[in-house]
Amino acid sequence: MTVFQISTITLLVLSFGIFSLSFGRIVRIISLAKPRNRFRDFLKRAFVFNEHVLLHKKMFRQFVPGLLHFIIFWGFVILTAGTMEWMYYGITGGQHFHFLGHTGYAAFSFAEDLFNFLVFLAVAAAFYRRIVIKPKRMADNSFKSKADAYFILSLIWGLVITNLLTHSISIHNGTDEFAAYQPIAAALAQIWPQGPVSENVYLFFWWAHLAIVLGFLNFLPYSKHFHVIVAAPNVWFSKLEPRGQLSFPNLEDETITKFGAEKVNDLSWKNLLDSYACTECGRCNEFCPTTTTGKELRPKTLMINLRAAVTEQAPISLALNGKVADEAALAKMSPEQRACYEKELVPGTFSDQFIWDCTTCGACVEACPVLIDHVDAIVDMRRALVLNKGSNPEEATTAFRNFETVSNPWGFNESTRQEWLTEKGVPHYEADQNFEFLYYIGCAGSFDDRNKKVVDSVVKILQSANVKFGILGKEEKCNGETVRRMGNEYLGQQMMKANKETLEKYKVSKILTSCPHCFNTLKNEYPEIGGSWEVIHHSEYINELIAAGRIKPDGGKMKNVTYHDSCYIGRYNKIYDEPREIIEAVTKEKPIEMERSKEKGFCCGAGGGRMWMEEKTGTRINVNRAEEVIASKAETVCVACPFCMTMVTDGLKSKAREDIKVRDISEIVAEALP
Amino acid sequence: MALKIGVLLKHVPDTNSRIQLKGEMIDETDIKYVINPYDEFAIEEAIKTKDLWVKGGEQVEIVGICLGPTAAQKSLRDAFAVGVDRGIHILDNDKKAIDARSVSQALAKVCAEEKFNLIFAGKQAVDTDAHAVAQMVAERLKMPHIAVVSKCEWTGATSAKVERDIEGGMKEIYTVKMPALLTANKGLNKMRLASLPGIRAASKKEIKEVPLPEVKAGYKVKGWSLPPERGKVKLIEGEPEKQAAELVRLLHEEAKVV
Ligand code: SF4
Ligand code: SF4
């Protein structure tokens, strides 16, 4: 064996040895965390992987950075094969992958040459973007994070440059019989002076390339570029259940005495993996209503700080081997270790404000290219606060009380629920009377005057289409969606069970809702407790009625309508087109689109129970949205959610623009009916 | 020495309940019962006081006392969930103790046996609005009492500085020595939410049921009457000018007042 071979092997063993130690440590940290089943459904996972890793679906929403990353990603895949050959060359003392056969190796050389060049260009463009264009979403990155990015980009550049130079020398020296398949390296070969380039120069670049590869590998676990390794598994293990489905913890098992994520070691391994996978790209912050209005909560910060907390506690959890520290173990810890071990995520890592700011609008989840679930982590931290300590914003306590005693957030007497509808003669749903569906009114439609008008419009539409439907009247209860997102899982589960019983008592098989929150939970969360029924939102149903010609709105009288997407039918359930089609049917023109719409729709500020809490910091979310409505020059803004109705109306009011009408999509239809 | 705090609490209809009559009697079907809201402040203050004293190395027990029908035990359990340690339920299914005199008599008897160092109660119960029971209990126990308290600050091991609300936003400031009875006003605090471990523990805490002692009521309830039905409200919609014109028309033609 030559010195060259021995040196290569020693370097490889050392580098891979060190890497497996640091990587293995992180794998252990992740695997010691709380369980979460993300292993089933191989095929579906493969599909998601294909879409989001191989095809970069979300990355392409911003075309230029998406394309640059796509090239670098695929470049990496191809160049990794090149790197393998590099190592093979070193270990064997000069062999190439010629076993691929002539054609195979020619193709291999060509691909490597091409991607060397493409990656070179993509990195140059990435430098340009960062230095000259300065994307806003990365402006708040820390110095370390920025330095990290430049360092990594330089390394990648170094990789392809040394690769090309080494090949160019072989071509120049005439020792590469595949020169014809490497146009870029061949062109580069021109730079070398007449006569053969010395072996030492060749070896210099050869070693430089290998050193960069191995240095890169060992730097990764300490860098945000660790996503190179964990982003793909993070996508693979992402949530396959409907996005609007919160986990359903067992609260009945009396041996479990702590709930939610109180400390780092209450987090699931997927939360940890999420935090390691975060690339700090800032896409999540872009449409986050709290970030936009200057509040504490920033989803990117959530992930960065979570990772910092995990890293801080890692030595302790590794020493404990994932077990909960008993008295003896606690006694052995130094005061600092103990403080770190006992530190609560709130207020230790995040302030109460940070965690309670979230509207659970899901804009962050939608935007994240590596499929991180921020809402999951936030709700879990809220659960810990509410269930373990009874700690929550004061206004939330009032709402909880109302939900608990009278099953509605306002505290209205529950025996008057839907009284106004009963008085109008809307029949009670019965199992055996051929009702097409149950119209589940929800709290807002039952009690709130403005939203009663919306329900009234829906009723008018249904009646004019001769649809036979019934309601539950005072037997309907709040469905628990809001309190669960406010962390009060116990009350939420009780409410769900009570409601499910009523729905089953009447053998309900199809439900219409006009509230996206009712819709989402009945459709996506009740199945977790065995509820099985079809759920439709009024925007879908009305659109169907129009399409089938069962109602004929007299179109064209209304003009200049824009549509404000509700998070819970939009992003959570992908109902984007139906409301727009309804508007088109009524106005005979496409709705005016606001900048932030559909997937990028901007929350009204009410979700996640925020409707029942005061918004004390930053500017107001609903006003921010109202400003966008005003800027759109629309005369009417349509909504499809009772809470959006309230928020957008209030937002416009505070801008003194009550001349812009806020209408539910059902109202514009009802108004246009003969 | 262990310290004992008593909390008097009442099981009352939620203030949003719609009270209806069935014949001569109140129709209970749609009524939701809850802890009297002012008693919630009393409970919270007791817990806060306990926390403070426990930090100071004392042993403290909070005992909730409730007089009412069997269903009233729910209010005791709700109080347990936030931190009251045990309960005494004076059972009165036949509604024999109907006035402040008889209720205070029964409560005082239990309190005397328990020998509380401190008693908290709400300033009034929102159902009967007597504003009297707690003070009468204190008098029967020969304990100093301060009503309508909005702030309570412990200045020594057994003495507190207490503010009570009086008319016009004024405050009266007292110092008081234990044993004493304080009745809570809104603003004293806000009752915490029960944690889940608290809710679970609540079902295991002890409620001692005691029969209603011989009490003497000062009066008998003869009956109830409902407030007169509110007249129908008519909403006038449309442009301001049209609304005004319509209003004038309605006042003139239908209400016949102009
Ligand atoms: S769910 Fe919405 S409010 Fe909450 S962090 Fe994500 S984007 Fe922000
Ligand atoms: S959470 Fe996702 S979107 Fe946000 S910075 Fe991290 S990788 Fe980017």
Side-chain angles (χ1 to χ4, degrees):
Chain A
M1 215 181 259
T2 64
V3 177
F4 176 66
Q5 280 174 291
I6 295 173
S7 323
T8 312
I9 293 170
T10 318
L11 188 65
L12 287 180
V13 169
L14 268 177
S15 299
F16 279 100
I18 298 172
F19 174 75
S20 15
L21 283 183
S22 43
F23 182 63
R25 183 170 178 271
I26 293 177
V27 172
R28 252 193 87 214
I29 294 170
I30 294 174
S31 63
L32 288 178
K34 288 268 149 69
R36 173 135 308 177
N37 193 344
R38 290 286 168 82
F39 301 100
R40 267 173 281 168
D41 297 309
F42 183 88
L43 273 180
K44 272 194 213 152
R45 294 192 183 281
F47 184 77
V48 173
F49 187 86
N50 177 52
E51 207 173 327
H52 293 288
V53 178
L54 305 186
L55 300 179
H56 272 50
K57 188 171 161 210
K58 288 200 179 174
M59 295 291 284
F60 275 110
R61 284 188 185 161
Q62 292 175 10
F63 187 75
V64 175
L67 182 69
L68 295 184
H69 194 277
F70 187 75
I71 293 173
I72 296 179
F73 169 80
W74 278 105
F76 246 90
V77 174
I78 307 282
L79 296 181
T80 300
T83 303
M84 301 242 202
E85 191 202 19
W86 213 272
M87 294 171 190
Y88 181 72
Y89 180 90
I91 295 167
T92 56
Q95 303 280 329
H96 292 276
F97 276 1
H98 287 161
F99 53 77
L100 292 173
H102 186 84
T103 327
Y105 193 74
F108 175 74
S109 306
F110 177 72
E112 192 179 355
D113 189 63
L114 176 71
F115 272 97
N116 269 330
F117 183 59
L118 288 179
V119 171
F120 176 83
L121 292 182
V123 171
F127 265 122
Y128 178 79
R129 256 176 58 78
R130 279 175 186 265
I131 297 171
V132 183
I133 302 180
K134 296 198 175 117
K136 228 169 81 201
R137 60 182 159 83
M138 290 185 287
D140 66 338
N141 281 8
S142 65
F143 174 75
K144 181 179 167 286
S145 164
K146 285 184 182 155
D148 190 323
Y150 289 125
F151 183 59
I152 290 284
L153 282 177
S154 313
L155 284 186
I156 302 175
W157 232 5
L159 277 181
V160 291
I161 292 172
T162 50
N163 189 322
L164 281 171
L165 286 174
T166 320
H167 283 290
S168 75
I169 293 175
S170 305
I171 294 171
H172 178 85
N173 290 355
T175 54
D176 193 334
E177 48 185 299
F178 287 87
Y181 304 103
Q182 303 169 60
I184 309 294
L188 208 59
Q190 311 292 331
I191 62 166
W192 302 111
Q194 284 285 311
V197 176
S198 109
E199 165 110 23
N200 286 339
V201 178
Y202 177 86
L203 282 178
F204 171 78
F205 286 118
W206 192 91
W207 281 112
H209 181 81
L210 192 65
I212 295 176
V213 168
L214 299 175
F216 184 83
L217 185 70
N218 277 295
F219 177 65
L220 280 185
Y222 305 97
S223 147
K224 67 172 188 158
H225 281 79
F226 195 44
H227 82 263
V228 172
I229 296 171
V230 285
N234 201 54
V235 169
W236 181 270
F237 292 121
S238 63
K239 181 169 173 178
L240 292 180
E241 297 86 22
R243 189 182 290 167
Q245 183 185 93
L246 292 180
S247 64
F248 198 83
N250 180 348
L251 303 183
E252 266 144 32
D253 182 347
E254 300 251 333
T255 60
I256 305 171
T257 53
K258 282 261 176 237
F259 311 93
E262 186 169 291
K263 296 183 197 151
V264 169
N265 51 15
D266 297 320
L267 293 165
S268 76
W269 64 267
K270 186 57 178 53
N271 294 134
L272 267 56
L273 190 62
D274 274 350
S275 79
Y276 280 112
C278 173
T279 69
E280 301 182 25
C281 70
R283 284 175 174 79
C284 52
N285 282 354
E286 271 181 307
F287 299 100
C288 169
T290 64
T291 309
T292 310
T293 56
K295 299 186 193 355
E296 252 186 75
L297 168 64
R298 291 165 163 255
K300 177 167 81 176
T301 311
L302 174 77
M303 284 302 134
I304 295 176
N305 291 5
L306 217 50
R307 177 166 62 209
V310 170
T311 313
E312 188 190 9
Q313 216 188 91
I316 308 171
S317 38
L318 286 172
L320 287 168
N321 206 7
K323 290 200 191 67
V324 178
D326 52 16
E327 278 307 317
L330 283 175
K332 263 191 251 157
M333 290 181 196
S334 72
E336 295 79 36
Q337 277 177 325
R338 188 163 175 164
C340 171
Y341 181 72
E342 286 176 343
K343 183 156 113 183
E344 289 172 353
L345 285 163
V346 183
T349 306
F350 305 105
S351 69
D352 282 274
Q353 183 73 47
F354 190 101
I355 292 307
W356 287 104
D357 269 346
C358 181
T359 70
T360 70
C361 73
C364 49
V365 181
E366 177 70 40
C368 181
V370 297
L371 309 196
I372 285 171
D373 197 330
H374 314 71
V375 177
D376 200 42
I378 290 176
V379 170
D380 242 11
M381 286 188 256
R382 287 186 179 179
R383 283 176 179 166
L385 290 171
V386 174
L387 298 180
N388 300 340
K389 299 202 264 184
S391 151
N392 48 261
E394 211 177 285
E395 317 90 76
T397 308
T398 312
F400 287 152
R401 289 270 160 77
N402 289 338
F403 278 118
E404 190 177 350
T405 47
V406 287
S407 207
N408 71 74
W410 292 277
F412 285 111
N413 178 352
E414 75 185 315
S415 63
T416 61
R417 194 175 180 105
Q418 293 164 31
E419 204 170 44
W420 70 276
L421 276 167
T422 315
E423 278 168 8
K424 275 184 102 170
V426 176
H428 191 286
Y429 186 88
E430 301 297 341
D432 46 7
Q433 292 181 10
N434 293 323
F435 282 103
E436 196 173 316
F437 49 70
L438 164 77
Y439 183 9
Y440 188 95
I441 308 291
C443 299
S446 298
F447 295 109
D448 175 65
D449 284 335
R450 178 66 187 89
N451 283 299
K452 282 184 195 169
K453 290 192 186 161
V454 175
V455 171
D456 210 19
S457 303
V458 177
V459 169
K460 184 177 167 198
I461 293 168
L462 296 176
Q463 285 170 343
S464 77
N466 288 319
V467 180
K468 193 168 177 215
F469 68 98
I471 58 171
L472 286 176
K474 64 180 175 185
E475 279 178 272
E476 183 188 291
K477 298 274 174 280
C478 172
N479 52 53
E481 187 267 354
T482 308
V483 293
R484 290 186 76 213
R485 275 156 185 82
M486 292 165 87
N488 200 337
E489 186 64 21
Y490 178 70
L491 178 55
Q493 290 192 7
Q494 278 184 328
M495 294 167 84
M496 282 174 84
K497 283 175 195 154
N499 241 311
K500 181 186 158 237
E501 242 168 62
T502 314
L503 292 168
E504 282 176 349
K505 179 171 127 198
Y506 288 104
K507 303 201 175 58
V508 173
S509 58
K510 189 171 176 184
I511 302 173
L512 177 85
T513 77
S514 38
C515 169
H517 299 267
C518 299
F519 173 79
N520 180 64
T521 192
L522 288 168
K523 182 183 164 88
N524 296 323
E525 295 184 321
Y526 276 65
E528 282 179 287
I529 56 166
S532 89
W533 38 65
E534 186 193 341
V535 189
I536 35 169
H537 186 255
H538 74 308
S539 59
E540 296 174 291
Y541 193 70
I542 294 172
N543 197 37
E544 270 173 35
L545 290 179
I546 296 176
R550 290 176 67 187
I551 50 170
K552 294 194 179 63
D554 174 17
K557 291 204 180 126
M558 202 176 199
K559 287 256 162 297
N560 295 331
V561 178
T562 187
Y563 175 66
H564 161 84
D565 286 278
S566 132
C567 305
Y568 274 82
I569 57 167
R571 264 191 299 268
Y572 276 99
N573 288 291
K574 310 239 171 315
I575 302 178
Y576 297 120
D577 298 333
E578 291 83 346
R580 290 177 165 81
E581 284 165 17
I582 294 176
I583 294 173
E584 209 179 328
V586 172
T587 62
K588 299 277 175 246
E589 59 185 22
K590 291 237 179 281
I592 301 173
E593 288 295 349
M594 289 186 273
E595 168 77 23
R596 298 175 292 186
S597 68
K598 300 191 179 174
E599 290 89 358
K600 295 189 274 181
F602 192 71
C603 177
C604 70
R610 289 296 325 171
M611 179 82 188
W612 316 108
M613 295 177 244
E614 278 165 37
E615 195 178 338
K616 293 176 191 148
T617 58
T619 53
R620 294 191 60 91
I621 295 171
N622 61 340
V623 173
N624 188 299
R625 186 53 157 176
E627 282 163 358
E628 195 177 359
V629 171
I630 295 166
S632 79
K633 302 243 161 26
E635 288 162 26
T636 302
V637 49
C638 272
V639 294
C641 166
F643 303 111
C644 297
M645 169 69 80
T646 307
M647 289 307 229
V648 175
T649 307
D650 288 351
L652 286 169
K653 200 180 276 172
S654 68
K655 293 255 109 187
R657 287 302 302 269
E658 282 122 312
D659 58 303
I660 302 178
K661 296 193 226 45
V662 188
R663 292 282 180 274
D664 188 87
I665 38 154
S666 63
E667 292 179 301
I668 62 165
V669 175
E671 277 166 29
L673 287 183
Chain B
M1 184 197 71
L3 292 164
K4 238 196 230 179
I5 305 177
V7 180
L8 310 182
L9 49 104
K10 189 171 184 185
H11 193 59
V12 301
D14 179 41
T15 43
N16 287 311
S17 295
R18 185 164 42 173
I19 311 279
Q20 280 171 318
L21 295 184
K22 204 188 211 160
E24 294 276 278
M25 300 301 288
I26 290 178
D27 178 4
E28 299 267 338
T29 16
D30 279 342
I31 299 181
K32 272 260 152 131
Y33 279 86
V34 293
I35 301 180
N36 173 37
Y38 290 104
D39 298 346
E40 290 191 354
F41 308 133
I43 294 169
E44 179 64 28
E45 203 57 25
I47 299 168
K48 277 189 171 165
T49 311
K50 173 177 170 171
D51 288 348
L52 185 83
W53 288 349
V54 166
K55 255 192 214 140
E58 296 285 351
Q59 262 198 357
V60 187
E61 187 186 36
I62 306 175
V63 184
I65 302 173
C66 180
L67 184 152
T70 310
Q73 294 204 353
K74 179 177 180 295
S75 282
L76 277 173
R77 296 267 172 227
D78 287 348
F80 290 167
V82 288
V84 169
D85 298 303
R86 69 181 165 88
I88 299 174
H89 176 207
I90 308 172
L91 190 62
D92 182 19
N93 275 328
D94 307 328
K95 299 210 168 76
K96 278 195 191 136
I98 45 153
D99 63 353
R101 181 178 165 189
S102 48
V103 173
S104 65
Q105 212 181 340
L107 290 174
K109 182 164 177 278
V110 172
C111 290
E113 284 160 12
E114 289 287 329
K115 298 196 177 59
F116 290 121
N117 303 87
L118 181 65
I119 300 175
F120 287 106
K123 71 161 177 152
Q124 83 198 75
V126 296
D127 54 352
T128 51
D129 275 343
H131 285 75
V133 170
Q135 291 90 322
M136 287 169 78
V137 170
E139 285 297 328
R140 289 180 192 276
L141 295 171
K142 308 211 168 4
M143 231 185 220
H145 56 86
I146 304 172
V148 204
V149 169
S150 59
K151 195 171 171 187
C152 174
E153 221 177 71
W154 290 91
T155 47
T158 57
S159 55
K161 197 173 112 193
V162 172
E163 286 182 19
R164 71 179 293 260
D165 293 329
I166 53 173
E167 283 300 304
M170 291 271 286
K171 305 259 184 201
E172 276 181 352
I173 301 168
Y174 292 81
T175 53
V176 64
K177 258 178 107 68
M178 290 200 308
L181 181 147
L182 309 179
T183 77
N185 194 13
K186 196 174 169 169
L188 177 62
N189 54 48
K190 178 140 187 165
M191 188 169 88
R192 67 194 64 189
L193 201 78
S195 68
L196 185 46
I199 295 171
R200 281 184 184 169
S203 59
K204 300 193 189 86
K205 289 183 181 172
E206 180 211 333
I207 295 182
K208 188 166 107 193
E209 205 179 88
V210 299
L212 185 73
E214 259 323 292
V215 290
K216 245 200 213 130
Y219 53 72
K220 258 199 196 123
V221 176
K222 277 303 235 188
W224 286 271
S225 79
L226 290 176
E229 285 259 340
R230 245 200 305 164
K232 271 238 179 293
V233 177
K234 197 162 205 161
L235 276 181
I236 308 171
E237 295 188 0
E239 307 294 316
E241 297 85 46
K242 283 194 196 133
Q243 282 180 321
E246 178 67 3
L247 177 64
V248 172
R249 190 189 68 79
L250 286 174
L251 288 174
H252 185 67
E253 288 172 19
E254 289 192 13
K256 300 199 172 29
V257 289
V258 288

